[in-house]
Amino acid sequence: MKKFVNLLPSDEQKEYKLQLIHTELWSFGFWLGLSFLILAVLIFAAQTFLQEELKISQQRVQTEQIAFNKLQEQGIQKAAGDFNLNLTNFRTLSARHQNLSPVLIEFARLLPAGLTVDSLTISRSSLKVEASGRASDRKSVLQLRQNLLASSYFNNVNFPLLNLEKRTDAVWKFRFYIRPEILN
């Protein structure tokens, strides 16, 4: 700040100093008030902007929530539909299912010692059974044939002569049919 010489009388000098102080205080107060006013306007504008952004965000969340709920309902409906379809298919198949457990138990009971089964195929439609395997000797193969002929579960036993070709370590194969009345 620049120094300057004041040649006014002392009362006027005091008055002049007070006037300078008053002007500086008034200027300071004016700029301070203006700054507060600008700050208040900026805060108000920011608050208004943020409130609008919050409303928009809430609307987006609500829209997404509705879409999510629809997808979730569709997923649940699809899962329920799939379950109902599977249940219907299961009931349909169960109604047509033939219980072959007693037939398998009977076949296992008929197998003599020294005989192993390598393959067992059962056709549900024709009730045809094809079995093959190995035997320690020819007597075991003949015993299986006798057991199948004597069983009330099976009929039309096919006995190829190839089963009798070897005396020991015989390979055997049978084709026979399940009696339909056994499955009812």
Side-chain angles (χ1 to χ4, degrees):
M1 193 166 170
K2 229 172 162 183
K3 280 192 167 189
F4 59 92
V5 178
N6 190 352
L7 300 175
L8 292 173
S10 87
D11 285 340
E12 287 181 19
Q13 280 183 2
K14 284 182 184 176
E15 194 175 309
Y16 180 73
K17 280 185 182 177
L18 286 175
Q19 197 175 23
L20 279 177
I21 291 173
H22 178 275
T23 304
E24 285 182 21
L25 280 176
W26 187 87
S27 177
F28 176 75
F30 172 76
W31 288 114
L32 184 65
L34 185 63
S35 298
F36 280 136
L37 182 65
I38 291 171
L39 184 63
V41 167
L42 288 176
I43 289 175
F44 178 74
Q47 184 179 5
T48 305
F49 174 76
L50 290 176
Q51 283 177 344
E52 287 301 313
E53 283 295 315
L54 182 63
K55 285 179 186 176
I56 291 169
S57 296
Q58 286 174 340
Q59 288 173 349
R60 284 184 191 159
V61 167
Q62 194 174 27
T63 304
E64 293 297 323
Q65 185 69 34
I66 290 170
F68 177 72
N69 288 342
K70 284 181 184 177
L71 286 175
Q72 200 172 23
E73 283 179 19
Q74 289 172 352
I76 290 171
Q77 288 173 351
K78 184 181 180 315
D82 290 347
F83 176 76
N84 287 336
L85 179 63
N86 289 340
L87 185 61
T88 303
N89 290 340
F90 174 75
R91 286 181 178 162
T92 303
L93 291 174
S94 291
R96 287 192 255 151
H97 176 69
Q98 297 170 338
N99 188 5
L100 296 175
S101 296
V103 173
L104 294 174
I105 292 169
E106 175 68 9
F107 182 71
R109 188 184 67 75
L110 297 177
L111 292 174
L115 198 106
T116 59
V117 178
D118 292 335
S119 170
L120 179 67
T121 307
I122 301 174
S123 170
R124 288 186 185 273
S125 59
S126 65
L127 300 179
K128 178 173 70 171
V129 179
E130 291 184 359
S132 64
R134 290 170 278 135
S136 60
D137 58 14
R138 190 183 306 161
K139 277 177 42 180
S140 298
V141 176
L142 290 171
Q143 183 64 46
L144 177 59
R145 179 177 183 267
Q146 289 300 322
N147 292 346
L148 287 171
L149 289 171
S151 173
S152 63
Y153 281 70
F154 308 112
N155 63 6
N156 297 334
V157 178
N158 181 347
F159 183 68
L161 292 177
L162 188 64
N163 289 347
L164 301 175
E165 193 174 74
K166 289 186 177 180
R167 182 176 211 95
T168 59
D169 295 325
V171 175
W172 59 269
K173 184 174 184 176
F174 284 100
R175 180 182 304 129
F176 50 94
Y177 293 85
I178 301 168
R179 295 179 190 264
E181 61 270 11
I182 297 299
L183 297 176
N184 295 331

